[in-house]
Amino acid sequence: MDKGKALHFLFVKSETKTPGGLAARPVLTSYYKSNHFKNRPFDAYNNYTSPTADIEAGSLTPRVTDPSVREAVAGILRADPELAALVRSECSKGDWAGIITRIWPSTKYLDVIVTGAMAQYIPTLKYYSGGLPMACTMYASSECYFGLNLRPMCDPSEVSYTLMPNMCYFEFLPMDSAAASGGDASQLVDLARVEVGREYELVITTYAGLNRYRVGDVLQVTGFHNSAPQFRFVRRKNVLLSIESDKTDEAELQRAVERASALLRPHGAAVVEYTSQAYTKSIPGHYVIYWELLAKGPAGGAAVGEGTLERCCLEMEEALNTVYRQSRVADGSIGPLEIRVVRPGTFEELMDYAISRGASINQYKVPRCVTFPPIIELLDSRVVSSHFSPALPHWTPGQRSDSD
Ligand code: AMP
């Protein structure tokens, strides 16, 4: 750390306004746009050199038009055609496996968050980095900073966060009672009284004024640092699909499928079963929804054409939350939603497969989201057609965003 350099990607997202006129934006956007960040005192560890400059010519890209920014970097730029040639040749090889260490051979580790929903990006990060260690250092939210990983170089599967008791007042709702009682305050447990092995939902009371606010995260106590409990991030309650800061739960996905499937009715078809996948193998990632269709009535479903299914994709997007639509429209960080139609009987095969692996036939429920590779392979091998949303859904900057 004392001699190193880091490449950080800092994402500033678009802002919205609340009905009362307050700016609503994610915490990091707020920080990077603040004077606190822009006029910070010199710090050798956080000495940023962006924006990008043309390495070959030693000049700033013409896309940067702000004169003060151009002036600030003009003095420190120099041409480095050799380095530019190396970058160009490595990037034009087509195969980007290990690109990070090919371009920056002394890279020691990746500073990332790959616990929880972001664990889906571990294979991609391994691919581009050639297997560099991944340090997950912190656990935080827009509402409050929660904790730190005191063993940052451990494997992502072993990460535990130590909550810092000065950040807010932490309380915990045992998961068994959270489900049974709907979250009765009398069940709340203090930070000092959590038990190793148990799962809890995190509840915070913050300096900014949130009172017993349910963050929506489920944590499991793994041990102690001195007497401070440590937690593994288990999952976000009720979140099925997430590509970026979007969080889509089961009820919302269900509503979106219902709204879109109404478009099939005039064609004598219906959605009999569905499931979904957050597809992140291409960039940007996108939602994939698997549909098994039932053809009813004289039209026999035969009339469901490409155009209708494309409209269904867009209709689902219109029904999803504002954060999803903002990422689609303003940020471009989520790609068009895709419907993959699977052949009749596929979901029965899925059930047979689950039962063959030990699921109980009485309790079997169609998973509304799939992550297990053999199940995804099974579904993909039964796909008869696939369709993408042909346009952007509606989103206006004036709308309040749920996650902000
Ligand atoms: P946001 O409110 O958009 O800032 O997102 C905060 C949420 O992101 C938290 O409540 C968690 O669900 C998730 N999150 C933040 N840090 C981590 C982490 N280290 N591991 C897993 N999930 C995290």
Side-chain angles (χ1 to χ4, degrees), residues 113 115-116 138-143 161 215 217 233 236 247:
I113 289 178
T115 41
M138 63 172 180
Y139 169 42
S141 75
S142 298
E143 294 85 355
Y161 298 100
V215 174
D217 291 348
F233 184 94
R236 209 165 149 90
K247 302 171 184 76

Side-chain angles (χ1 to χ4, degrees), residues 61-108:
T61 163
R63 280 187 305 179
V64 178
T65 50
D66 184 320
S68 67
V69 175
R70 296 193 69 84
E71 205 176 297
V73 286
I76 50 171
L77 290 180
R78 61 194 155 71
D80 192 341
E82 226 169 88
L83 178 61
L86 170 88
V87 173
R88 186 167 287 129
S89 95
E90 289 301 332
C91 293
S92 58
K93 278 183 185 155
D95 176 10
W96 274 36
I99 192 76
I100 296 177
T101 40
R102 274 158 47 197
I103 292 187
W104 295 282
S106 341
T107 313
K108 297 285 184 293

Side-chain angles (χ1 to χ4, degrees), residues 32-265:
Y32 295 138
K33 293 184 79 169
S34 71
N35 284 332
H36 191 68
F37 175 74
K38 287 196 271 190
N39 304 323
R40 68 199 177 284
F42 178 77
D43 170 355
Y45 298 117
N46 289 300
N47 190 12
Y48 297 106
T49 56
S50 71
T52 47
D54 179 332
I55 300 170
E56 191 165 46
S59 66
L60 197 58
T61 163
R63 280 187 305 179
V64 178
T65 50
D66 184 320
S68 67
V69 175
R70 296 193 69 84
E71 205 176 297
V73 286
I76 50 171
L77 290 180
R78 61 194 155 71
D80 192 341
E82 226 169 88
L83 178 61
L86 170 88
V87 173
R88 186 167 287 129
S89 95
E90 289 301 332
C91 293
S92 58
K93 278 183 185 155
D95 176 10
W96 274 36
I99 192 76
I100 296 177
T101 40
R102 274 158 47 197
I103 292 187
W104 295 282
S106 341
T107 313
K108 297 285 184 293
Y109 68 94
L110 305 181
D111 180 354
V112 284
I113 289 178
V114 284
T115 41
M118 298 296 159
Q120 66 194 354
Y121 294 104
I122 292 176
T124 310
L125 290 166
K126 278 195 174 146
Y127 178 80
Y128 289 121
S129 73
L132 284 175
M134 295 176 212
C136 300
T137 55
M138 63 172 180
Y139 169 42
S141 75
S142 298
E143 294 85 355
C144 182
Y145 201 107
F146 304 132
L148 294 171
N149 174 9
L150 299 176
R151 292 195 306 132
M153 301 313 281
C154 75
D155 189 79
S157 61
E158 288 172 8
V159 172
S160 282
Y161 298 100
T162 307
L163 298 189
M164 294 178 285
N166 53 334
M167 290 290 134
C168 70
Y169 194 80
F170 289 108
E171 290 176 289
F172 300 85
L173 198 55
M175 272 316 279
D176 22 22
S177 68
S181 67
D184 179 350
S186 69
Q187 311 278 340
L188 287 171
V189 175
D190 280 336
L191 182 61
R193 296 196 206 290
V194 295
E195 293 165 36
V196 172
R198 280 189 88 169
E199 287 188 2
Y200 298 91
E201 189 190 329
L202 186 63
V203 177
I204 55 170
T205 296
T206 66
Y207 293 103
L210 293 173
N211 180 41
R212 290 194 159 163
Y213 171 81
R214 292 173 73 165
V215 174
D217 291 348
V218 178
L219 310 177
Q220 184 187 35
V221 185
T222 51
F224 293 86
H225 171 75
N226 299 326
S227 51
Q230 296 183 299
F231 297 85
R232 184 172 70 85
F233 184 94
V234 180
R235 65 191 158 87
R236 209 165 149 90
K237 253 179 82 188
N238 304 330
V239 167
L240 277 191
L241 291 169
S242 173
I243 295 286
E244 205 225 281
S245 47
D246 54 306
K247 302 171 184 76
T248 296
D249 67 20
E250 192 162 339
E252 194 173 0
L253 181 64
Q254 170 77 23
R255 275 198 303 277
V257 170
E258 278 168 12
R259 220 173 108 172
S261 59
L263 303 179
L264 299 176
R265 248 173 257 144

Side-chain angles (χ1 to χ4, degrees), residues 374-404:
I375 298 242
I376 293 176
E377 266 169 44
L378 188 153
L379 286 164
D380 283 337
S381 69
R382 308 294 189 272
V383 170
V384 288
S385 63
S386 99
H387 313 269
F388 287 90
S389 183
L392 291 172
H394 288 94
W395 177 78
T396 42
Q399 274 177 319
R400 202 180 70 81
S401 148
D402 298 341
S403 83
D404 289 334

